[in-house]
Amino acid sequence: MGVIIEQFPLYVSGFLTTLRLVLIAGVLSIILGTIIAAFRVSPVPPLRLVGTGWVTVFRNTPLAVVLFATAFGLPEIGVNSSYFVFGVLGLVLYTSAFVCEAIRSGINSVSAGQAEAARAVGLTFGQSLSLIVLPQAFRTVIPPLGSVLIAMIKNSAIAGAFGIGGDLFANGVQLTSAQGYSAAGVLFGVMLGYLVLTIPGGILLGVLERKLAVAR
Amino acid sequence: MTRSSTPMIRMAAVDKHFGDLHVLRDINLEVDAGQVVVVLGPSGSGKSTLCRTINRLEPIDTGVIEVDGKELPEEGKALAGLRADVGMVFQSFNLFAHKTILENVTLAPIKVRRMPKGEAQTHGLALLERVGIANQKDKYPAQLSGGQQQRAAIARALAMKPKVMLFDEPTSALDPEMVQEVLDVMTTLAKEGMTMLVVTHEMGFARRAANRVVFMADGEIVEDASPDTFFSNPTSDRAKDFLGKILTH
């Protein structure tokens, strides 16, 4: 366990890199997932097809394969960027499919009369979705969306394994393999780092859920 | 009956199926500006569907529907524009659950008509005053009684200054003691010259406020007459049967 105290700065920097990774990927996943969900419920058949295709591909591909494709596939076709960006990209592509389905379940929970009333007063499809349906959908979506985001935080370790470098997981690997610390102690520290992210994250979502709950 | 050149609502040879069910059969109906038409009929006769086709919440199979001389456009911006001119009141109110009563009334004028917020609020408050619920303006729909919610829904539709108002069984989901307050608002509207198509079971309202009664059965318009004629001298057996059932108790 001494490793945690001895190498505390390395843990902190790993924690901060992971935090940056999951914050960026989380926000982008929610935005992209919401857009894909809008596609899936849109009245335009080609958009629905794109939405369904997106979910089918990224929900059914192992994350490691998606990350392999972004980290090693993209440079092969001439797209060059840092491993951090490729890691974010892989996580966002993968997570957006799950965010989409969580949000779509929320959209389906809003009564059809709400969307009908919105259309009847002259709102366009986009306005009716963004002003009436989605704000109500987000309330019921917080618990499943929370699970998706917590899974994403843990999945960020896989992105770390693909060589983002400097994140919690990668630093842990470095401490055991390059510096020879015992795996048990190192991993305990790594695990604590992830818990510091996921447990307050879950509490925050609970608070948000109670705050958004309004009588209807 | 005086006829202006273009009727406010015109339905010609309209047919619609729900799967095997033929819900609307060769519907021909014209409603002139300022007229109040009440649609009566047994449940399942297609009267709600007819009401909902007029702003294309239900698409039709064949035929033509025109509002103020313009044929209903396909789904999209143009249809949204037309719906803005056609007020609709639902059986289940459908007030926006996450918005206050005042926000419900001002949302569409602000977002669709691009009315400045202050102006929309002044106008909205005046409408809430008119339907008697201005003191509820900051509450959420779930905090109001059914009658109050339905009056708010009428105010929401009126806020768009519609050319015509559609009422789809507006009092059917209400407790009996709240029916009158909603009918009073509708009667006032009718007196003020609003063009209205009202699907209802309220015979008293039909007698008092309607210019015409349209009786539907099995997806067809069976009778189209003045309320006096319809209630005292129905010509079809189906109308006689229907009136016999509802007027005896």
Side-chain angles (χ1 to χ4, degrees), chain A residues 43 111-114 116-124 127 131-133 135-136 139 214-216, chain B residues 52 55 57 77 80 83-84 86 88 90 94-99 107-108 111-112 114 142 156 160:
Chain A
S111 85
Q114 293 286 309
E116 278 193 350
R119 282 150 67 205
V121 291
L123 298 180
T124 60
Q127 286 177 318
L131 297 170
I132 306 301
V133 178
Q136 297 185 61
R139 285 174 194 169
V214 173
R216 51 174 126 172
Chain B
R52 291 163 55 84
N55 65 355
L57 284 182
K77 280 237 157 57
R83 283 174 177 151
V86 178
M88 177 124 190
F90 300 87
N94 295 344
L95 288 172
F96 304 134
H98 62 309
K99 301 273 183 196
L107 182 111
K111 298 292 178 185
V112 179
R114 305 278 162 210
R156 173 177 69 180
M160 295 301 283

Side-chain angles (χ1 to χ4, degrees), chain B residues 36-52 88-91 150 154 165-174 178-180 182-184 186-187 190 196-216 227 230-231 242-243 246-247:
Chain B
V36 177
V37 173
V38 165
V39 183
L40 299 177
S43 68
S45 58
K47 53 193 193 307
S48 272
T49 306
L50 179 141
C51 184
R52 291 163 55 84
M88 177 124 190
V89 176
F90 300 87
Q91 180 176 351
Q150 194 60 302
I154 294 173
M165 288 279 286
L166 307 173
F167 292 84
D168 184 8
E169 303 204 26
T171 57
S172 300
L174 294 176
M178 291 168 185
V179 169
Q180 201 53 48
V182 171
L183 290 180
D184 286 345
M186 291 168 59
T187 309
M196 292 163 64
L197 184 127
V198 184
V199 175
T200 186
H201 295 290
E202 295 297 329
M203 301 302 144
F205 176 80
R207 280 180 191 278
R208 198 166 59 242
N211 301 107
R212 272 161 69 200
V213 169
V214 168
F215 176 73
M216 288 185 75
F230 178 75
F231 287 111
F242 176 74
L243 287 172
I246 53 159
L247 296 179

Side-chain angles (χ1 to χ4, degrees), chain B residues 18-131:
Chain B
F18 281 129
D20 287 337
L21 184 67
H22 201 165
V23 275
L24 295 179
R25 296 169 190 260
D26 191 27
I27 299 289
N28 293 283
L29 178 69
E30 292 190 1
V31 179
D32 288 332
Q35 259 197 347
V36 177
V37 173
V38 165
V39 183
L40 299 177
S43 68
S45 58
K47 53 193 193 307
S48 272
T49 306
L50 179 141
C51 184
R52 291 163 55 84
T53 58
I54 295 169
N55 65 355
R56 213 172 186 276
L57 284 182
E58 298 285 355
I60 55 174
D61 299 340
T62 54
V64 178
I65 300 179
E66 289 174 0
V67 173
D68 200 16
K70 282 197 287 281
E71 191 172 344
L72 292 189
E74 290 293 303
E75 200 69 49
K77 280 237 157 57
L79 183 61
L82 179 131
R83 283 174 177 151
D85 289 334
V86 178
M88 177 124 190
V89 176
F90 300 87
Q91 180 176 351
S92 47
F93 328 133
N94 295 344
L95 288 172
F96 304 134
H98 62 309
K99 301 273 183 196
T100 65
I101 297 305
L102 185 59
E103 285 168 348
N104 263 276
V105 176
T106 56
L107 182 111
I110 293 169
K111 298 292 178 185
V112 179
R113 298 271 193 244
R114 305 278 162 210
M115 193 186 272
K117 198 176 170 195
E119 191 187 333
Q121 285 179 336
T122 313
H123 182 54
L125 266 178
L127 283 168
L128 291 179
E129 194 77 55
R130 192 167 144 195
V131 299

Side-chain angles (χ1 to χ4, degrees), chain A residues 88-148:
Chain A
V88 167
L89 186 64
L91 274 178
V92 168
L93 292 176
Y94 180 82
T95 310
S96 66
F98 293 89
V99 169
C100 164
E101 290 303 274
I103 286 178
R104 204 163 62 90
S105 78
I107 289 174
N108 291 339
S109 77
V110 177
S111 85
Q114 293 286 309
E116 278 193 350
R119 282 150 67 205
V121 291
L123 298 180
T124 60
F125 173 77
Q127 286 177 318
S128 136
L129 197 64
S130 61
L131 297 170
I132 306 301
V133 178
L134 281 178
Q136 297 185 61
F138 274 122
R139 285 174 194 169
T140 54
V141 130
I142 288 172
L145 195 59
S147 301
V148 169

